C-alpha cells in the first residue's frame, strides 16, 4: 500500500495532507469546546480531545491510505471503462487515433531530426565539455587554424584540458588489390585521448604521435570501413595498405558508435597529422601562419565555463595579432559548444532559432489535429450527455466525470502516439535513405547522422501525446459536465422516475 | 454469507447516521452514534476518518466544507444515491448476521 500511496502522492500529496489535517483539527477543536462546556479545565479538555485520536501521524497515514487506495482503484475503473468505450465506438476511436497519429508522427519525426542535429551529444565521455574553436577573419574564413597558431593556443590557455585538431581529406585507399575512395581526417596525436575514444581493436594515436613531418604513416580505420572493406577481420592490425599511393600500417579500429567529429560525414580512416605533408603538397602547413587547414576543438576543464574559456582564448588571439600582424591581425576566435557547431561554428547563432521554428511548425500540425479531434469528441460528448447526467445523479462528482472523459482521450492519444511513433520511424527511414543517397556518392562514402529514436525522442513523443490527450479531452469534458443534471434527465424522460425513487430517505 | 466484519458494521452505522440526519461532520457522527445507542457504542476517531474517506472515494458519500452553528469550519458528509443502496445492503446483511449469531447462541444454550 505504501508504494501505491507514494505514487499517487506525487500528484496531490500536499493538498490532500492539508485537507486531512484541517478536518482532524476541526474535529479536535469541536471536542475541546464541548469538553470545556462540560466543565473540564482548558488543559484537560485539550488533552482529552487529543487522546481520543491516539497517534495523530498514524491516523493521518491511515486516512491518506484510504484516499490513495481508492484513487488508484477508480483510476483502474476509469481505464477499464475507457477501453470498453473505445471498443464500442470503433469508428470514432480509429478516426481520433489516426488523426492524432499523424500529428504526433510529424512531431516525432521532426524532433528526432533535430535530436540528431542539435541534441544528441558526441558518443564520448562528458560530451558537454567538448567545444569547437572557430577562427574568424574579416574577409571570409572557414574557421580553421594554422598549425603554428594551434600550438600557440594550446600552450597559452589553461581553460582546456586539451586542444586538438584535424584536417579533412578525401583520398584513395587500396588494399588486397582493391581501391576505394575514402573520407579521412588527419588528426593531432591527442585527438583520441582528448575525446576519450577507446579503440574497438588495436590502438589509437597517442598524444604527440605523428606530429612531425616525414614520420612513417600509420592509419586507424573507422568501424564501418573495417566492416565493409576488411570484413571485420581482427587480423587487420599490422596490415599494410596504401593511402593515396603511400604505404601505411593499420594500427587500430575506432568503436562502432564513433563516426569522427565531422558533421554528417562518416569518417572512414584517421591518419596522423604528418600525413598532410606525405600526401598533400606541402611543408607550408607546419610553419606558415596563413596556411589554415586545421579544424580545432577543445575539451573544457571541469568547472570551467564557456565564458572563462572564451576570455582566455581572446587574450591569446590579441597577443598573436600584435606579434604577427601580417597574418593574424583582426583574427578572432570563438568558442562554441560542439552541439551548436554542426555543421560549423557559424550556425551557432541561428541553429536553435531554425530548430525551434521547425518544432513550432510541427506543433501547429499537431494543434490542428487536436482541434479536429476535440470537435469529434465534443460531438460525442453531446451524444453522451445522458450517460454523464446519470453518472452525476449517481453521485459522481464533476471532477470524477471529467477524469473519466480525459482518461478516455488520453488512452486514444497514447494509442495515437504508438501509431505516430511507427509513422515517424517509417517517414524517417524513407527520408533517411533519401538523404543517404544525396550525401553518399558512387564510391559509397559514408553519411552519418544518427536520427534513430533514443529516450529523448520517446520522451518527446509521450509528452506530446499526454498533452494532446488532455487538450482534446478536457474541453469537451468541461462543456459536457456543465450541463444541468435535471434538464438532461428530463430531456431523456423515460428513465426519470427511476432516479426520483432514489431520493435521499428521510429520517424515520 | 453476509459480510460480518467490524468494518462492515462501522460502515452501516455511519451510513445510517447520515441517512437519518442528512448532513453531518465527523465529530457529529461520533456524538450521534453515542447518543442514539444510549452510550453503548462509541466510535473511535482512529477508525472513523479512514472509513469516511474510503466511503467518499467509493462514491457512497459526498463531502463539503461548511460552517458549523458555532461558525467553525468543518467537513460535512452526506449520502449519495449509491450510498443509499449500500445502506440497504448493509442493513440486510447486518440483520442476517444478528439472526445467525442469535441462532448460534440459542443452540449453545440448549
Amino acid at each position: 500500500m505504501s508504494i501505491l500511496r507514494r505514487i499517487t502522492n506525487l500528484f496531490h500529496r500536499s493538498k490532500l495532507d492539508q485537507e486531512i489535517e484541517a478536518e482532524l483539527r476541526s474535529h479536535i477543536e469541536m471536542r475541546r469546546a464541548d469538553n470545556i462546556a462540560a466543565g473540564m479545565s482548558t488543559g484537560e479538555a485539550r488533552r482529552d480531545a487529543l487522546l481520543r485520536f491516539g497517534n495523530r501521524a498514524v491516523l493521518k497515514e491511515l486516512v491518506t491510505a484510504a484516499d490513495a487506495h481508492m484513487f488508484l482503484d477508480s483510476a483502474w475503473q476509469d481505464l477499464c471503462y475507457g477501453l470498453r468505450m473505445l471498443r464500442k465506438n470503433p469508428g470514432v476511436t480509429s478516426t481520433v487515433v489516426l488523426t492524432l497519429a499523424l500529428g504526433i508522427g510529424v512531431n516525432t519525426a521532426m524532433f528526432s531530426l533535430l535530436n540528431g542535429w542539435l541534441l544528441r551529444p558526441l558518443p564520448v565521455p562528458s560530451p558537454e565539455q567538448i567545444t569547437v574553436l572557430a577562427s574568424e577573419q574579416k574577409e571570409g574564413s572557414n574557421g580553421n587554424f594554422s598549425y603554428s597558431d594551434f600550438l600557440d593556443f594550446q600552450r597559452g590557455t589553461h581553460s582546456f584540458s586539451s586542444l586538438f585538431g584535424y584536417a579533412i581529406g578525401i583520398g584513395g585507399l587500396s588494399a588486397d588489390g582493391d581501391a576505394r575512395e575514402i573520407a579521412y581526417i588527419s588528426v593531432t596525436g591527442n585527438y583520441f585521448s582528448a575525446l576519450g575514444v577507446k579503440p574497438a581493436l588495436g590502438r589509437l594515436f597517442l598524444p604527440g604521435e605523428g606530429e612531425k613531418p616525414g614520420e612513417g604513416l600509420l592509419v586507424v580505420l573507422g568501424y564501418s570501413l573495417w566492416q565493409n572493406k576488411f570484413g571485420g577481420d581482427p587480423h587487420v592490425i599490422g596490415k599494410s595498405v596504401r593511402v593515396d599511393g603511400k604505404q601505411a600500417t593499420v594500427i587500430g579500429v575506432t568503436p562502432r558508435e564513433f563516426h569522427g567529429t565531422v558533421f554528417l560525414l562518416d569518417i572512414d580512416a584517421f591518419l596522423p597529422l604528418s600525413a598532410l605533408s606525405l600526401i598533400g603538397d606541402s611543408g607550408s602547413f607546419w610553419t606558415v601562419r596563413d596556411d589554415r587547414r586545421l579544424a580545432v576543438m577543445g575539451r573544457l576543464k571541469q568547472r570551467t565555463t564557456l565564458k572563462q574559456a572564451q576570455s582566455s582564448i581572446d587574450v591569446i588571439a590579441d597577443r598573436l595579432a600584435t606579434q604577427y600582424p601580417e597574418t593574424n591581425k583582426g583574427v578572432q576566435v570563438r568558442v562554441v559548444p560542439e552541439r551548436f557547431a554542426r555543421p560549423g561554428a557559424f550556425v551557432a547563432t541561428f541553429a536553435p532559432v531554425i530548430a525551434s521554428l521547425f518544432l513550432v511548425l510541427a506543433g501547429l500540425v499537431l494543434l490542428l489535429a487536436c482541434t479536429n479531434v476535440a470537435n469529434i469528441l465534443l460531438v460525442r460528448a453531446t451524444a453522451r450527455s445522458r450517460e454523464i447526467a446519470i453518472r452525476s445523479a449517481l453521485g459522481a462528482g464533476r471532477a470524477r466525470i471529467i477524469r473519466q472523459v480525459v482518461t478516455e482521450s488520453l488512452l486514444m492519444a497514447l494509442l495515437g502516439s504508438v501509431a505516430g511513433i511507427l509513422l515517424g520511424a517509417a517517414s524517417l527511414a524513407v527520408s533517411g535513405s533519401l538523404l543517404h543517397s544525396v550525401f553518399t556518392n558512387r564510391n559509397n562514402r559514408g553519411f552519418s547522422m544518427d536520427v534513430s529514436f533514443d529516450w529523448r525522442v520517446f520522451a518527446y513523443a509521450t509528452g506530446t501525446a499526454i498533452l494532446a490527450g488532455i487538450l482534446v479531452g478536457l474541453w469537451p469534458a468541461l462543456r459536457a459536465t456543465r450541463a444541468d443534471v435535471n434538464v438532461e434527465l428530463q430531456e431523456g424522460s423515460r428513465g426519470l422516475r427511476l432516479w426520483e425513487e432514489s431520493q435521499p430517505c428521510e429520517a424515520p | 454469507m453476509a459480510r460480518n466484519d467490524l468494518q462492515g458494521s462501522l460502515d452501516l452505522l455511519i451510513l445510517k447516521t447520515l441517512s437519518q440526519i442528512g448532513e453531518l461532520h465527523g465529530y457529529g457522527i461520533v456524538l450521534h452514534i453515542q447518543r442514539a445507542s444510549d452510550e453503548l457504542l462509541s466510535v473511535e476517531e482512529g477508525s472513523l476518518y479512514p472509513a469516511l474517506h474510503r466511503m467518499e472515494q467509493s462514491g457512497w458519500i459526498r463531502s463539503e466544507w461548511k460552517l458549523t452553528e458555532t461558525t467553525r469550519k468543518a467537513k460535512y458528509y452526506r449520502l449519495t444515491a449509491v450510498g443509499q443502496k449500500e445502506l440497504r445492503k448493509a442493513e440486510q446483511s447486518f440483520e442476517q448476521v444478528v439472526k445467525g449469531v442469535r441462532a448460534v447462541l440459542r443452540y449453545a444454550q440448549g
Side-chain angles (χ1 to χ4, degrees):
Chain A
M1 166 56 78
S2 78
I3 295 170
L4 295 184
R5 192 166 57 71
R6 265 175 218 142
I7 297 171
T8 50
N9 284 348
L10 288 179
F11 301 112
H12 55 210
R13 167 108 219 181
S14 62
K15 207 188 139 214
L16 201 68
D17 255 11
Q18 280 169 17
E19 220 184 297
I20 294 170
E21 180 70 41
E23 186 176 12
L24 299 186
R25 209 183 315 117
S26 99
H27 181 116
I28 290 170
E29 281 303 306
M30 283 188 269
R31 168 76 75 184
R32 195 176 63 92
D34 281 359
N35 281 348
I36 290 173
M40 284 192 200
S41 76
T42 338
E44 243 179 317
R46 190 178 142 67
R47 205 160 39 244
D48 174 72
L50 285 174
L51 263 178
R52 283 168 189 271
F53 267 91
N55 185 329
R56 203 129 132 242
V58 170
L59 176 60
K60 250 175 78 175
E61 288 293 282
L62 280 174
V63 177
T64 316
D67 285 340
H69 179 56
M70 287 333 230
F71 175 81
L72 277 194
D73 244 26
S74 59
W76 178 246
Q77 273 173 18
D78 282 356
L79 205 67
C80 293
Y81 187 74
L83 280 173
R84 219 163 41 229
M85 289 305 287
L86 296 196
R87 243 178 305 149
K88 243 179 75 182
N89 302 294
V92 173
T93 306
S94 52
T95 314
V96 168
V97 167
L98 270 180
T99 314
L100 286 179
L102 282 173
I104 293 170
V106 168
N107 271 271
T108 310
M110 186 59 73
F111 182 80
S112 67
L113 272 176
L114 295 179
N115 184 31
W117 175 27
L118 284 178
L119 294 181
R120 193 185 283 267
L122 281 178
V124 302
S126 309
E128 71 285 350
Q129 294 174 343
I130 307 290
T131 57
V132 167
L133 274 66
S135 152
E136 292 168 341
Q137 289 127 276
K138 286 225 176 63
E139 63 281 355
S141 67
N142 53 10
N144 290 347
F145 291 71
S146 66
Y147 185 62
S148 310
D149 281 356
F150 166 69
L151 288 181
D152 284 331
F153 279 109
Q154 200 178 38
R155 277 183 218 117
T157 176
H158 300 291
S159 299
F160 296 87
S161 57
S162 39
L163 286 186
F164 52 98
Y166 61 87
I168 309 175
I170 306 288
L173 180 131
S174 56
D176 310 328
D178 162 61
R180 69 166 70 192
E181 194 175 81
I182 57 163
Y184 64 83
I185 57 179
S186 308
V187 302
T188 56
N190 63 352
Y191 179 82
F192 291 113
S193 58
L195 282 170
V197 175
K198 299 274 179 291
L201 195 68
R203 72 175 184 87
L204 306 176
F205 300 127
L206 303 170
E209 193 173 14
E211 289 193 35
K212 281 181 207 74
E215 273 183 38
L217 204 51
L218 303 175
V219 56
V220 169
L221 300 176
Y223 192 88
S224 51
L225 184 72
W226 177 52
Q227 288 293 324
N228 297 336
K229 185 159 169 64
F230 298 98
D233 178 12
H235 301 299
V236 77
I237 306 297
K239 195 180 178 69
S240 222
V241 297
R242 285 187 168 273
V243 180
D244 275 359
K246 299 285 187 297
Q247 197 259 322
T249 310
V250 176
I251 60 164
V253 177
T254 55
R256 179 202 285 269
E257 69 276 5
F258 186 72
H259 301 285
T261 44
V262 185
F263 182 62
L264 286 187
L265 212 54
D266 189 0
I267 299 299
D268 296 310
F270 303 81
L271 300 178
L273 220 48
S274 60
L276 282 176
S277 46
L278 274 179
I279 295 169
D281 42 331
S282 52
S284 71
F285 170 77
W286 305 97
T287 49
V288 179
R289 276 189 194 269
D290 50 12
D291 184 349
R292 297 189 163 92
R293 279 191 256 171
L294 204 58
V296 174
M297 301 173 83
R299 184 183 273 281
L300 288 174
K301 275 187 185 156
Q302 252 175 358
R303 284 187 286 282
T304 303
T305 65
L306 212 58
K307 222 172 169 184
Q308 290 165 336
Q310 179 68 62
S311 54
S312 94
I313 289 293
D314 285 344
V315 171
I316 304 167
D318 287 348
R319 202 183 65 215
L320 291 178
T322 46
Q323 225 170 332
Y324 311 102
E326 64 281 11
T327 53
N328 286 51
K329 195 150 182 284
V331 175
Q332 295 201 317
V333 174
R334 254 198 323 152
V335 186
V336 178
E338 188 274 333
R339 288 191 303 159
F340 297 131
R342 304 173 187 172
F346 63 93
V347 304
T349 44
F350 59 84
V353 180
I354 294 182
S356 33
L357 203 70
F358 274 103
L359 271 189
V360 166
L361 277 178
L364 283 179
V365 173
L366 181 65
L367 201 65
L368 218 64
C370 282
T371 321
N372 283 325
V373 169
N375 269 323
I376 297 173
L377 291 185
L378 193 65
V379 172
R380 197 167 64 129
T382 319
R384 279 173 70 179
S385 54
R386 201 173 140 66
E387 167 203 334
I388 289 170
I390 289 176
R391 289 200 59 184
S392 48
L394 282 176
R398 187 172 182 213
R400 184 81 177 69
I401 291 174
I402 289 176
R403 215 173 80 199
Q404 167 63 46
V405 177
V406 172
T407 303
E408 268 177 58
S409 63
L410 268 178
L411 267 175
M412 287 195 273
L414 286 179
L415 283 178
S417 91
V418 172
I421 287 173
L422 293 178
L423 207 70
S427 70
L428 272 181
V430 172
S431 62
S433 65
L434 277 178
L435 278 176
H436 202 272
S437 58
V438 169
F439 281 91
T440 311
N441 66 12
R442 299 181 290 290
N443 294 305
N444 205 15
R445 189 178 308 140
F447 157 77
S448 117
M449 172 148 114
D450 196 352
V451 293
S452 62
F453 289 2
D454 57 7
W455 64 268
R456 289 183 196 81
V457 178
F458 283 114
Y460 182 82
T462 315
T464 18
I466 289 174
L467 197 73
I470 292 175
L471 260 179
V472 302
L474 203 55
W475 184 44
L478 286 175
R479 284 271 306 252
T481 51
R482 211 172 41 204
D484 184 5
V485 175
N486 286 323
V487 173
E488 287 296 339
L489 284 178
Q490 269 151 24
E491 273 174 3
S493 75
R494 276 212 322 163
L496 179 64
R497 216 171 313 148
L498 218 151
W499 305 116
E500 261 181 350
E501 280 167 9
S502 56
Q503 286 297 307
C505 305
E506 293 304 320
Chain B
M1 182 65 200
R3 212 176 74 159
N4 59 355
D5 54 6
L6 274 174
Q7 191 183 310
S9 49
L10 177 60
D11 286 3
L12 171 60
L13 291 178
I14 295 173
L15 291 174
K16 193 70 194 175
T17 302
L18 289 181
S19 90
Q20 286 164 348
I21 308 289
E23 198 177 41
L24 207 52
H25 45 69
Y27 181 57
I29 294 173
V30 172
L31 289 189
H32 176 85
I33 291 176
Q34 211 170 340
R35 229 175 271 145
S37 70
D38 289 329
E39 316 283 320
L40 282 176
L41 297 177
S42 94
V43 177
E44 282 191 31
E45 276 87 343
S47 35
L48 171 73
Y49 282 96
L52 280 173
H53 281 243
R54 184 168 37 72
M55 289 195 277
E56 181 177 13
Q57 292 290 337
S58 307
W60 299 358
I61 56 179
R62 205 191 308 221
S63 73
E64 198 180 353
W65 282 94
K66 279 191 176 173
L67 290 182
T68 64
E69 306 97 275
T70 52
T71 65
R72 211 187 289 285
K73 257 186 85 179
K75 203 170 173 186
Y76 278 82
Y77 294 89
R78 72 162 49 246
L79 223 50
T80 64
V82 180
Q84 291 284 355
K85 258 191 255 165
E86 285 300 323
L87 172 59
R88 247 169 278 149
K89 263 194 260 172
E91 275 178 310
Q92 276 162 17
S93 120
F94 182 75
E95 295 297 342
Q96 270 175 317
V97 171
V98 171
K99 243 189 255 169
V101 170
R102 206 168 273 148
V104 171
L105 289 181
R106 246 181 243 133
Y107 184 80
Q109 283 163 351

